[in-house]
Amino acid sequence: MADNFFLGKSKKEIISFFFSHNILVNPSFADKISNGEVVLSKNFVDFAIQKRITVLDDSSYKKLVDLNKVLFDTSKGEGYSVKVLASYPENAGKKEFKDFVRHYNLRYHQLQNLLKNRQELSHLKSVSKVLSSRDRSPCSIIAMVDEKTESKKGTSISLLVEDPTGEIKVIVKSKNKEMYDLAVNLPLDSVVGFSGSSDGRIFFANSIIIPDIPQAPMKKAPEDVYAVFLSDIHYGSKKFLEDDFNRFIQWIRGELGDEKQREVASKTKYIFVVGDLVDGVGIYRGQDSDLKIPDIYEQYKGVAELLNKIPKDKAIIIIPGNHDADRLAEPQPPLPKKFAAPLYELENAFLLSNPSYVNIHSSPNFPGFNVLLYHGFSFDYYVATIPKIIAQGGYDNPEAIMKFLLQFRHLAPEHGSSVFAPAYDKDPMVIDLVPDFFVSGHIHKTSISNYKNVTLVCGSCWQARTAFQEKVGHHPEPSRVPIVNLKTRKFKILKFSSNK
Ligand SMILES: [Fe+2]
Ligand SMILES: [Fe+2]
């Protein structure tokens, strides 16, 4: 629990304290502070003063809490450190057409920034400059892909692309096989660079430059600590694998396994839960008959009881998924307190948005690891539409999907691959910060691998194969837990299934 700065203080004392800092407290809100219903820590009070708010009431308090979460070191507990780098609060309100236009503009500029200094993009010009010039010498553009048409004979692909100054047709010839492959697999609405030349009407590409990530050094923690990755618990489903999950709980409590395995459990300080904590209610037609627990409050109560058994010296970092009681539009705000109250009572739990960024295990002599969390709702779309991902195994190859999104530096580039909510000051789905770990779930298939020193992790699930999954050709691998030693960055997959 946070320290209570106003412990034992009367309503009057609280009001006069804030008054001396030019803040008017709503009287009913002062009551809540006085009777302990709202607990304000010293840090929080300093923050409110520093933010120069004029009125403190329920709504300004909520805003400050959300801001505080994003801006402050929220680490608590012993042996772990969790800093929230980006978590998006509820951003309600009617969305207008102009918000969507603005959203795509923000995305363009964020990705343009990642691309503009690339050596391959020499003589960079705006689309309007290219269109107004008769100069046929080599040049480059950075543009968003609007349309893609393959010629009937398969000898070229024509792309319609645009930047904020205009749109132009780009021709990609099949003679250059590598570039042609790239074009075939380009997601629409992604932002990429083209170098080539133009006749003032059409741009003839001789290379396509995708944002990708640079090869980064592999960070290693000074201590022997571990992180484990859970996702898709689906508590409440008839197919929830309770015995398997209980085996995991027993292990993490040091009650299961040989001496070495128990030692690893005791050194595990970070547990990620990457969405679909519960099976939810009304997620798909006819779900009722698949539910053991049909009440959403009971579902969260049950999953919280299980997570409460995890020792408190381990941080649990939780984001929502598409089965959770959250809006579907991404970024999904942290799980609503209304439904998931029992999770908020866990002192070692951090509830963040989907997607979000955290930094873990920093200390005065170590910068910590940056972790990008995304449940993976958009994965279904790319599994079905991108030829390269289909050829690499689709749902059976989460690594290929995650690598693909990392290369385009966006979690859901193509419009329609996820539902999104605009009106932030940036596109939160852009992967602007290169993470040390990119963590996801959703497709119920475990994988862990490295790409340019970023560890890609897809969590397993705790739900046996459902009729729906059977129909769409999923091969879930339940009850597995990817684990990483943060000192060596070596990883493996632990199995908790009774039928190994
Ligand atoms: Fe799931
Ligand atoms: Fe999911």
Side-chain angles (χ1 to χ4, degrees):
M1 283 298 288
D3 60 314
N4 187 352
F5 186 66
F6 294 106
L7 189 70
K9 294 275 187 278
S10 70
K11 181 178 174 181
K12 208 174 146 195
E13 286 171 299
I14 293 164
I15 291 177
S16 73
F17 170 85
F18 279 110
F19 189 69
S20 70
H21 290 94
N22 302 318
I23 298 171
L24 293 172
V25 189
N26 169 300
S28 72
F29 195 73
D31 270 330
K32 288 184 187 171
I33 302 171
S34 169
N35 65 26
E37 197 182 327
V38 172
V39 174
L40 303 184
S41 68
K42 164 126 185 23
N43 265 347
F44 186 88
V45 174
D46 288 346
F47 183 57
I49 295 167
Q50 177 208 333
K51 282 273 143 197
R52 296 183 197 196
I53 60 161
T54 48
V55 177
L56 183 60
D57 57 10
D58 284 296
S59 105
S60 63
Y61 170 66
K62 195 181 163 295
K63 276 186 200 144
L64 283 172
V65 169
D66 288 335
L67 255 183
N68 199 24
K69 266 193 206 142
V70 177
L71 299 175
F72 269 81
D73 181 352
T74 51
S75 68
K76 38 184 180 172
E78 299 221 341
Y80 62 76
S81 154
V82 177
K83 289 180 185 176
V84 181
L85 303 179
S87 175
Y88 303 93
E90 172 86 66
N91 194 355
K94 199 162 161 273
K95 303 291 178 287
E96 296 172 35
F97 179 71
K98 67 173 183 358
D99 296 320
F100 287 86
V101 174
R102 189 170 150 267
H103 178 91
Y104 279 100
N105 267 319
L106 289 167
R107 177 194 295 192
Y108 175 82
H109 289 294
Q110 282 169 263
L111 289 161
Q112 182 200 30
N113 270 335
L114 297 177
L115 280 160
K116 69 183 180 198
N117 296 322
R118 294 282 290 271
Q119 266 180 3
E120 305 96 308
L121 292 172
S122 55
H123 303 100
L124 204 51
K125 286 183 178 173
S126 67
V127 167
S128 69
K129 273 261 165 62
V130 171
L131 288 170
S132 61
S133 148
R134 296 280 158 225
D135 177 8
R136 280 181 153 257
S137 58
C139 65
S140 309
I141 54 171
I142 295 174
M144 189 177 278
V145 182
D146 287 344
E147 285 173 30
K148 189 165 82 173
T149 324
E150 219 170 329
S151 72
K152 281 203 184 90
K153 289 180 186 157
T155 51
S156 69
I157 286 184
S158 140
L159 304 167
L160 185 66
V161 307
E162 68 172 322
D163 76 0
T165 69
E167 59 177 33
I168 190 168
K169 194 174 183 181
V170 175
I171 299 291
V172 179
K173 291 257 165 68
S174 65
K175 271 185 272 177
N176 182 337
K177 178 125 181 27
E178 202 183 322
M179 174 175 63
Y180 194 77
D181 266 6
L182 205 47
V184 168
N185 291 290
L186 268 185
L188 293 182
D189 311 309
S190 58
V191 177
V192 295
F194 297 93
S195 74
S197 59
S198 171
D199 61 2
R201 204 170 51 85
I202 290 172
F203 193 93
F204 302 95
N206 49 38
S207 73
I208 300 176
I209 293 92
I210 59 171
D212 209 342
I213 55 163
Q215 178 91 25
M218 185 172 268
K219 277 190 220 157
K220 290 177 178 174
E223 304 88 16
D224 210 15
V225 288
Y226 292 83
V228 298
F229 304 89
L230 307 178
S231 78
D232 299 85
I233 301 173
H234 287 268
Y235 188 88
S237 161
K238 278 182 186 163
K239 303 259 181 174
F240 170 56
L241 296 162
E242 194 166 3
D243 291 345
D244 292 359
F245 199 78
N246 279 327
R247 253 190 296 280
F248 164 76
I249 296 286
Q250 273 182 292
W251 167 71
I252 198 79
R253 289 171 62 86
E255 297 163 0
L256 189 76
D258 59 28
E259 200 181 324
K260 173 80 185 113
Q261 290 164 330
R262 290 206 306 270
E263 190 192 328
V264 170
S266 83
K267 288 180 176 171
T268 298
K269 293 288 172 190
Y270 303 94
I271 296 167
F272 290 87
V273 186
V274 200
D276 286 358
L277 278 78
V278 298
D279 205 44
V281 172
I283 304 294
Y284 55 89
R285 199 184 296 189
Q287 191 190 14
D288 280 6
S289 57
D290 295 339
L291 291 176
K292 187 177 171 191
I293 302 166
D295 180 291
I296 190 73
Y297 294 94
E298 290 300 315
Q299 290 184 4
Y300 280 109
K301 195 172 151 223
V303 77
E305 270 166 21
L306 289 174
L307 297 179
N308 191 27
K309 292 181 183 165
I310 294 173
K312 299 294 180 272
D313 66 330
K314 304 173 195 318
I316 310 174
I317 298 139
I318 299 171
I319 65 164
N322 55 308
H323 277 255
D324 284 295
D326 212 319
R327 73 176 186 201
L328 198 56
E330 293 168 353
Q332 292 182 286
L335 284 169
K337 284 206 178 97
K338 180 172 185 263
F339 298 111
L343 289 170
Y344 281 87
E345 281 164 25
L346 304 177
E347 66 199 65
N348 52 337
F350 296 81
L351 285 96
L352 311 174
S353 66
N354 169 42
S356 54
Y357 271 107
V358 289
N359 175 283
I360 60 164
H361 210 66
S362 68
S363 64
N365 42 26
F366 183 64
F369 300 98
N370 296 327
V371 183
L372 167 62
L373 294 100
Y374 175 55
H375 175 61
F377 186 74
S378 73
F379 293 3
D380 296 307
Y381 186 90
Y382 300 102
V383 161
T385 57
I386 301 294
K388 192 170 72 182
I389 294 178
I390 297 169
Q392 288 178 323
Y395 279 119
D396 290 331
N397 191 350
E399 181 189 343
I401 312 166
M402 295 176 77
K403 184 175 146 190
F404 174 80
L405 297 176
L406 210 45
Q407 286 176 328
F408 287 96
R409 301 289 291 264
H410 200 283
L411 294 166
E414 192 157 332
H415 184 82
S417 63
S418 74
V419 192
F420 72 93
Y424 286 89
D425 54 2
K426 61 177 198 170
D427 175 354
M429 307 298 277
V430 172
I431 305 173
D432 41 13
L433 176 69
V434 179
D436 298 294
F437 290 87
F438 174 16
V439 178
S440 72
H442 184 61
I443 58 175
H444 295 206
K445 192 93 180 181
T446 335
S447 90
I448 181 159
S449 57
N450 280 330
Y451 173 62
K452 295 190 176 179
N453 286 339
V454 177
T455 304
L456 310 178
V457 190
C458 191
S460 165
C461 63
W462 301 87
Q463 184 187 36
R465 193 178 187 182
T466 62
F468 171 75
Q469 290 166 341
E470 216 148 317
K471 210 160 66 188
V472 296
H474 277 216
H475 311 106
E477 280 176 340
S479 314
R480 295 172 181 219
V481 178
I483 180 166
V484 179
N485 180 325
L486 298 177
K487 188 179 182 184
T488 62
R489 292 288 290 269
K490 284 195 177 136
F491 48 71
K492 60 179 176 181
I493 294 172
L494 308 175
K495 294 174 185 157
F496 292 91
S497 170
S498 49
N499 42 10
K500 278 174 204 172

